[in-house]
Amino acid sequence: MAEPSVPSSSSGGGGSLPLMESELYFLVARFLSTGPCRRAAEVLVQELEQHQLLPKRLDWEGNEHCRSYEDLVLSNKHVAPDHLLQICKRIGPILDKEIPPSISRVNSLLGAGRQSLLRTAKDCRNTVWKGSALAALRRGRPPEIPVNYGPPPNLVEVNRAKQLTGYATYRTSFPGSMYQHIRMHRRILGHLSAVYCVAFDRTGHRIFTGSDDCLVKIWSTHNGRLLATLRGHSAEISDMAVNYENTMIAAGSCDKMIRVWCLRTCAPVAVLQGHTGSITSLQFSPMVKGSMRYMVSTGADGTVCFWQWDADSMKFSNRPVKFTEKSRPGVQMLCSSFSIGGTFLATGSTDHVIRMYFFGSETPEKIAELESHADKVDSLQFSNSGDRFISGSRDGTAHIWRFQQTEWRSILLDMADRLPGDSHSEEDRFMKPKVTMIAWNQNDNFVVTAVNNHLLKVWNSYTGQLLHDMVGHTDEVFVLETHPFDSRIMLSAGHDGNIFIWDITKGIKTKHYFNMIEGQGHGAVFDCKFSSDGQHFACTDSHGHLLIFGFGCNKPYEKIPDQMFFHTDYRPLIRDANNYVLDEQTQQAPHLMPPPFLVDVDGNPHPTKYQRLVPGRENCADEHLIPQLGYIATSDGEVVEQVIGQQTVDQDEQSLERNILDGMIRQLQQQQDQRTGSDQEVVPNGLQNGEGTPRRGFRRPSLDIQSPPNIGLRRSGQVEGVRQMHQNAPRSQIATERDLQAWKRRVVVPEIPLYLFRKQEEYRIAKGEEERALYTTERKRKTFQFSEKSDSEASLIQSKRRLHRRKYPSYRTRNNTEQLDSSDEERDDCFGFINQEAEESDCLDSSDEEEEWKSDKKSNSNSSRNLGLEGTSRNQVQPPALRQNRVNLYHH
């Protein structure tokens, strides 16, 4: 076979070999010279010199001269033997950044298609999905997605494939990229202060916001309408909760009260006064036991209150079952979480202790105190399946707890852990990590923790392995919200104004929004919630805004103004002895007042088209939508125009018709007020109907007016125009009997469909029975183990007596030993019991007794202590005298 001709290198000869090709020959020979193929390298060098294929040298006249292999090695000492290999290794990553391959981080010199090192953008064009190809893929032929198939198929092709095969996966039907289409529908200014609480009702059709301006507002999810304002609190709203029947909303406040309203009519259901400090958390129990239900509240006074209520009558018990958890002065309860079946409740506090409560008996009882954290526990959440919960602390750790082998055991998550290859920054070396928020994903396979270094960490919930560090926030994150049914999706928001939607399975961000407020900088996002159907989520910020996000178009939201207040929002209230409220000007309950007018933040009424958005004014005539304006002075002395009533054409005629009846009612009311005033001068403490039954009638407004304080004004301009709208409100704006009947029939928040409610209730009942069975089984197992341990100890003691009977003739008898053991058990059981009444909460007054109690409690268990497992049904703090008697008996 004839050899291929090689062009001559002599001057005047044919064209020379390209420089890149001759250098490649040299690098190949250099690579072979140090490997196992050295004989092949020698042969190759001979042939390269024979055919003059090595790079040539140029003289000063530009003439080429042949060079030997040895000359090239000496003149290119910077070229190592593996120089060619290093070049090949660097080509792949550089090309991957320009044209991504089908399989990332897999580089091959022999790849084809999108894995080839010679690929171009044209080679990587995606093939359009077809229903037939998708159907074949879903049935295993081919087993992997072809490399030339790019974005996921659209829903039309997915449904076509489902028709062909009867099968479709959720990830294929709803890819993670779908969440890129979520947009902000509307940002509404509805409060004058920061809004720390937001919640959806159980149907997802209504949004509730609780603000530092003491108001709770109800909004429509689908068009952003302001439907109602719930008034009554006199301090900031700290937490809100909607019951599982979707009939009530409860709001806790810094005024130490819990107010409960009916969601159908906005009527007040109860005013609960059991705390002596601010309410820190509020939860409705998912437990179903006939018509009996529970609501739990924790307070800054160190107490946990269990409020019993009836689902049929919607009546609350006035006296809660109270646990005072003050291991030392100043302890506050911070957070709480129920298991999915409502059998277990976990609470966190500032004394580093997690307390567990059990709902298996007639009344709630405390069963354990978990002491694994070294700083306050301010975040708790049970898993969606209910058998585990996670706790986050300021000590920089989180624990995943599970009840097994007769005690609560945990997996440690250390926020100082890092992924392989990550290096510590200078800032992280001097910063102590703290957990700011925790969350489970929907299927409980992952937990996400927010750290004060602005990172979000994704962990395997079963092994505690760190999977991803998600970077994006620039300030602390206090909001983590999981998607209601998509286990891949997690929502985060923080004080930096950023809102992220994450795919936690991949550790990447899917959608980002920045809450920039024109002229005021960014607004810190304080709370976020998903709707039950996953189509919307709502956020609230530090400037009093409600942000509504969702899929689809935002046309319905274009019909509402940017600022939505009712002109009655900040009117002063009067309160009775039970702290129920009336509007001061109209002397009516707020939920029975006529439909208000819609105004902006300065108190100016909106145009007529917006007034029809107010519930009750949809079908009013145009003349009934024009408010009556008056001139009033603001706190700055400026005279402004404000809404003071309703201006109608036939207003004078209606006032004449009602004039006689109104006069009679007003005269009777004055007489009753005079009698009430005279009675109050005679009867001490103002109780007319007996000491235990305070009169529900309202006292003189001049004595009882407690309007919400003018706190937390918006940053821009200290606007308070809408607050001044109570000064000239007309007394003639009284509702008629016809109006009252119409408002009683209105439905502000719809009920859950009956079939769905029954399904959810059956699920909660089943989970509750499962949790109680687990706890009962483990408790019996511990009792059996404890009896075996007692028998073995007794036999050991008896054998020791036989050995030392002669040496110690005055040994203790078996009866004395058993009495000693029983005294020891009683002493161990008495520690940690808690008081049922607030008046008996501070039973450990002396510092010596307090230190002794704490040392005994720590010696009882290092990490966790199960209380009340041996037949105790209620937990009570033993008085110091009784406790000292038991200790003396033990030493005796």
Side-chain angles (χ1 to χ4, degrees):
M1 181 176 180
E3 296 182 0
S5 58
V6 179
S8 174
S9 61
S10 59
S11 58
S16 62
L17 194 69
L19 179 63
M20 187 73 67
E21 189 174 344
S22 61
E23 289 178 348
L24 180 61
Y25 281 131
F26 169 71
L27 292 178
V28 171
R30 192 85 173 93
F31 177 72
L32 293 176
S33 62
T34 57
C37 304
R38 296 185 179 181
R39 292 182 57 189
E42 294 176 358
V43 174
L44 178 61
V45 169
Q46 292 178 1
E47 291 188 350
L48 292 177
E49 292 177 347
Q50 178 184 353
H51 298 291
Q52 300 180 2
L53 298 178
L54 295 173
K56 297 178 175 56
R57 178 180 62 84
L58 295 175
D59 59 14
W60 65 279
E61 293 182 348
N63 298 322
E64 294 181 346
H65 301 274
C66 295
R67 305 176 67 183
S68 66
Y69 174 79
E70 296 298 333
D71 291 340
L72 285 172
V73 171
L74 294 175
S75 60
N76 296 280
K77 294 181 179 180
H78 64 281
V79 178
D82 63 342
H83 191 78
L84 179 61
L85 179 62
Q86 296 300 325
I87 292 175
C88 294
K89 286 182 177 181
R90 296 195 61 180
I91 291 176
I94 295 175
L95 182 62
D96 291 350
K97 294 180 181 179
E98 183 70 21
I99 306 175
S102 59
I103 304 175
S104 61
R105 293 179 294 181
V106 177
N107 297 314
S108 173
L109 299 177
L110 307 178
R114 294 192 65 171
Q115 292 297 121
S116 173
L117 295 180
L118 300 178
R119 62 182 181 270
T120 62
K122 183 179 180 181
D123 298 331
C124 298
R125 288 180 181 175
N126 299 319
T127 303
V128 179
W129 279 96
K130 294 183 179 179
S132 57
L134 181 61
L137 177 65
R138 289 305 110 201
R139 279 307 175 192
R141 293 184 298 272
E144 298 293 338
I145 299 178
V147 294
N148 58 343
Y149 278 70
N154 57 42
L155 292 180
V156 176
E157 299 299 337
V158 171
N159 289 330
R160 174 58 179 163
K162 187 175 180 180
Q163 291 176 358
L164 295 175
T165 63
Y167 177 82
T169 61
Y170 180 82
R171 291 178 178 269
T172 305
S173 302
F174 301 98
S177 58
M178 176 185 66
Y179 294 93
Q180 297 176 359
H181 302 291
I182 288 182
R183 63 167 71 180
M184 187 182 72
H185 290 319
R186 196 69 168 181
R187 180 168 57 198
I188 308 167
L189 179 62
H191 293 275
L192 295 184
S193 303
V195 186
Y196 280 90
C197 305
V198 67
F200 280 88
D201 76 323
R202 301 291 173 179
T203 65
H205 299 321
R206 298 291 183 265
I207 302 173
F208 307 101
T209 54
S211 171
D212 283 0
D213 62 3
C214 316
L215 298 181
V216 175
K217 292 194 173 185
I218 305 177
W219 311 80
S220 172
T221 304
H222 306 291
N223 52 30
R225 288 176 57 188
L226 176 59
L227 301 179
T229 298
L230 306 178
R231 298 191 288 161
H233 280 296
S234 58
E236 298 91 335
I237 307 298
S238 56
D239 200 6
M240 299 188 307
V242 180
N243 67 335
Y244 286 85
E245 292 77 11
N246 207 47
T247 57
M248 294 186 299
I249 181 173
S253 171
C254 294
D255 61 6
K256 311 172 188 176
M257 297 183 190
I258 301 169
R259 293 185 178 270
V260 186
W261 290 274
C262 173
L263 288 182
R264 290 179 59 84
T265 63
C266 295
V269 174
V271 179
L272 307 176
Q273 305 175 59
H275 291 277
T276 58
S278 301
I279 309 300
T280 54
S281 73
L282 203 58
Q283 302 277 341
F284 277 97
S285 172
M287 184 190 67
V288 178
K289 186 183 292 185
S291 63
M292 185 183 71
R293 304 288 189 273
Y294 276 100
M295 181 182 71
V296 66
S297 60
T298 62
D301 55 358
T303 62
V304 182
C305 291
F306 295 91
W307 306 88
Q308 184 176 331
W309 60 282
D310 188 270
D312 297 332
S313 62
M314 295 175 60
K315 291 184 178 180
F316 280 77
S317 174
N318 292 327
R319 295 179 63 85
V321 179
K322 181 183 291 188
F323 293 80
T324 302
E325 306 288 6
K326 278 198 173 183
S327 59
R328 62 174 182 268
V331 170
Q332 299 180 4
M333 306 304 294
L334 299 178
C335 54
S336 61
S337 179
F338 271 105
S339 61
I340 191 67
T343 303
F344 297 108
L345 171 73
T347 61
S349 61
T350 57
D351 62 356
H352 319 162
V353 180
I354 302 170
R355 294 171 174 87
M356 302 300 301
Y357 300 87
F358 179 64
F359 282 76
S361 57
E362 292 298 326
T363 57
E365 57 178 330
K366 185 170 69 173
I367 59 173
E369 288 185 351
L370 314 177
E371 302 181 3
S372 291
H373 288 289
D375 205 338
K376 64 180 180 180
V377 181
D378 55 6
S379 53
L380 284 170
Q381 188 178 7
F382 263 93
S383 63
N384 297 290
S385 60
D387 59 343
R388 296 179 294 165
F389 73 92
I390 182 174
S391 61
S393 171
R394 292 289 174 165
D395 62 2
T397 65
H399 286 262
I400 301 176
W401 300 88
R402 187 168 193 168
F403 189 68
Q404 58 183 2
Q405 298 181 1
T406 71
E407 63 181 358
W408 292 91
R409 301 190 175 187
S410 67
I411 299 174
L412 174 64
L413 308 180
D414 190 353
M415 298 304 112
D417 290 351
R418 296 201 168 259
L419 293 171
D422 286 357
S423 59
H424 290 266
S425 63
E426 290 295 330
E427 183 179 353
D428 292 340
R429 291 179 181 177
F430 300 99
M431 178 184 293
K432 177 185 176 182
K434 299 178 181 179
V435 178
T436 58
M437 188 52 63
I438 45 90
W440 297 83
N441 77 323
Q442 195 274 333
N443 61 9
D444 298 335
N445 289 336
F446 307 104
V447 292
V448 181
T449 58
V451 193
N452 62 335
N453 61 359
H454 316 154
L455 287 178
L456 302 182
K457 293 180 175 291
V458 184
W459 310 78
N460 186 310
S461 66
Y462 295 100
T463 64
Q465 178 187 0
L466 179 61
L467 302 177
H468 303 292
D469 277 343
M470 300 190 296
V471 183
H473 285 283
T474 58
D475 204 341
E476 291 191 1
V477 177
F478 291 96
V479 178
L480 285 177
E481 184 71 14
T482 185
H483 195 275
F485 53 82
D486 194 339
S487 59
R488 301 167 297 174
I489 301 302
M490 184 76 70
L491 178 71
S492 70
H495 288 182
D496 55 1
N498 287 309
I499 302 171
F500 288 101
I501 298 179
W502 304 90
D503 186 338
I504 62 174
T505 59
K506 300 177 181 178
I508 59 175
K509 64 186 73 170
T510 302
K511 182 70 175 181
H512 171 233
Y513 174 78
F514 183 61
N515 185 30
M516 175 59 70
I517 304 172
E518 185 177 356
Q520 302 181 50
H522 75 271
V525 181
F526 286 157
D527 201 5
C528 295
K529 288 292 187 299
F530 269 107
S531 63
S532 56
D533 59 2
Q535 298 297 306
H536 298 85
F537 68 87
C539 305
T540 54
D541 68 9
S542 57
H543 288 56
H545 292 100
L546 167 67
L547 294 79
I548 304 177
F549 293 80
F551 293 99
C553 68
N554 57 354
K555 224 170 197 181
Y557 301 87
E558 296 176 354
K559 300 177 181 179
I560 62 174
D562 293 332
Q563 303 174 4
M564 299 184 72
F565 297 86
F566 288 147
H567 81 282
T568 57
D569 280 350
Y570 301 99
R571 281 187 177 180
L573 302 169
I574 57 176
R575 306 171 191 273
D576 68 356
N578 295 324
N579 275 290
Y580 287 87
V581 297
L582 289 182
D583 184 75
E584 179 189 343
Q585 281 75 20
T586 61
Q587 298 289 307
Q588 287 182 316
H591 70 286
L592 295 179
M593 291 176 61
F597 287 98
L598 206 60
V599 299
D600 60 13
V601 70
D602 297 320
N604 302 316
H606 285 297
T608 304
K609 64 177 182 178
Y610 292 136
Q611 300 298 338
R612 294 190 185 276
L613 300 176
V614 179
R617 295 190 181 274
E618 297 91 340
N619 301 318
C620 290
D622 290 342
E623 57 268 18
H624 294 171
L625 300 176
I626 302 174
Q628 180 182 353
L629 301 178
Y631 292 93
I632 64 172
T634 64
S635 59
D636 299 332
E638 181 183 1
V639 178
V640 296
E641 212 175 26
Q642 296 287 0
V643 177
I644 62 173
Q646 176 175 317
Q647 178 180 351
T648 60
V649 176
D650 53 350
Q651 186 176 11
D652 296 335
E653 297 179 1
Q654 293 180 1
S655 62
L656 289 175
E657 293 176 0
R658 298 198 305 261
N659 193 20
I660 299 176
L661 182 59
D662 289 346
M664 295 176 61
I665 294 175
R666 193 174 296 108
Q667 185 178 1
L668 291 173
Q669 182 66 39
Q670 291 174 357
Q671 295 176 0
Q672 185 177 3
D673 290 343
Q674 292 175 0
R675 289 196 299 270
T676 302
S678 61
D679 291 341
Q680 288 178 352
E681 294 175 0
V682 177
V683 180
N685 299 330
L687 295 178
Q688 298 96 6
N689 299 336
E691 184 176 355
T693 57
R695 184 176 179 272
R696 279 293 303 275
F698 287 78
R699 294 170 293 193
R700 288 176 291 181
S702 60
L703 300 176
D704 290 321
I705 293 178
Q706 296 181 8
S707 302
N710 194 9
I711 57 174
L713 292 174
R714 298 173 66 244
R715 299 178 185 175
S716 174
Q718 296 293 306
V719 178
E720 55 175 287
V722 71
R723 289 189 186 273
Q724 309 297 332
M725 304 196 60
H726 58 264
Q727 303 207 3
N728 289 329
R731 294 291 300 271
S732 60
Q733 196 174 3
I734 306 296
T736 64
E737 186 66 26
R738 178 182 174 185
D739 295 333
L740 294 178
Q741 294 298 327
W743 295 329
K744 286 181 180 179
R745 293 192 298 266
R746 68 177 178 175
V747 177
V748 179
V749 178
E751 294 182 347
I752 304 178
L754 185 59
Y755 76 93
L756 183 59
F757 172 72
R758 287 178 176 175
K759 183 178 179 181
Q760 294 175 352
E761 189 175 66
E762 290 173 358
Y763 176 75
R764 298 201 310 272
I765 293 174
K767 294 299 292 185
E769 293 176 351
E770 179 182 331
E771 292 166 1
R772 284 189 290 273
L774 170 66
Y775 178 73
T776 304
T777 303
E778 294 293 336
R779 184 167 66 172
K780 289 180 179 179
R781 183 182 304 174
K782 178 169 184 177
T783 304
F784 177 73
Q785 293 176 354
F786 180 77
S787 62
E788 286 185 344
K789 182 179 179 180
S790 300
D791 294 342
S792 61
E793 289 179 352
S795 61
L796 180 61
I797 293 173
Q798 188 174 3
S799 62
K800 287 183 177 180
R801 289 199 200 109
R802 293 194 186 101
L803 292 175
H804 301 281
R805 182 173 299 179
R806 294 181 180 178
K807 187 175 181 180
Y808 301 99
S810 59
Y811 63 93
R812 290 173 292 181
T813 63
R814 180 176 179 85
N815 292 333
N816 292 336
T817 303
E818 292 175 351
Q819 184 178 2
L820 176 62
D821 292 340
S822 63
S823 300
D824 190 10
E825 294 172 14
E826 291 176 354
R827 182 177 69 89
D828 290 340
D829 288 342
C830 77
F831 293 143
F833 285 97
I834 48 98
N835 193 357
Q836 301 290 344
E837 303 295 333
E839 293 79 10
E840 300 176 3
S841 62
D842 299 326
C843 65
L844 302 176
D845 295 326
S846 64
S847 59
D848 294 337
E849 288 181 343
E850 182 180 353
E851 292 299 324
E852 177 188 353
W853 182 76
K854 287 193 290 185
S855 63
D856 288 341
K857 183 178 74 170
K858 290 183 179 179
S859 64
N860 205 10
S861 174
N862 186 25
S863 61
S864 66
R865 183 183 66 223
N866 296 310
L867 302 178
L869 299 181
E870 282 76 33
T872 56
S873 60
R874 303 184 72 179
N875 297 326
Q876 299 177 349
V877 169
Q878 298 287 341
L882 177 58
R883 182 168 58 84
Q884 189 63 37
N885 290 339
R886 294 199 174 201
V887 174
N888 292 338
L889 177 62
Y890 169 74
H891 290 295
H892 176 71

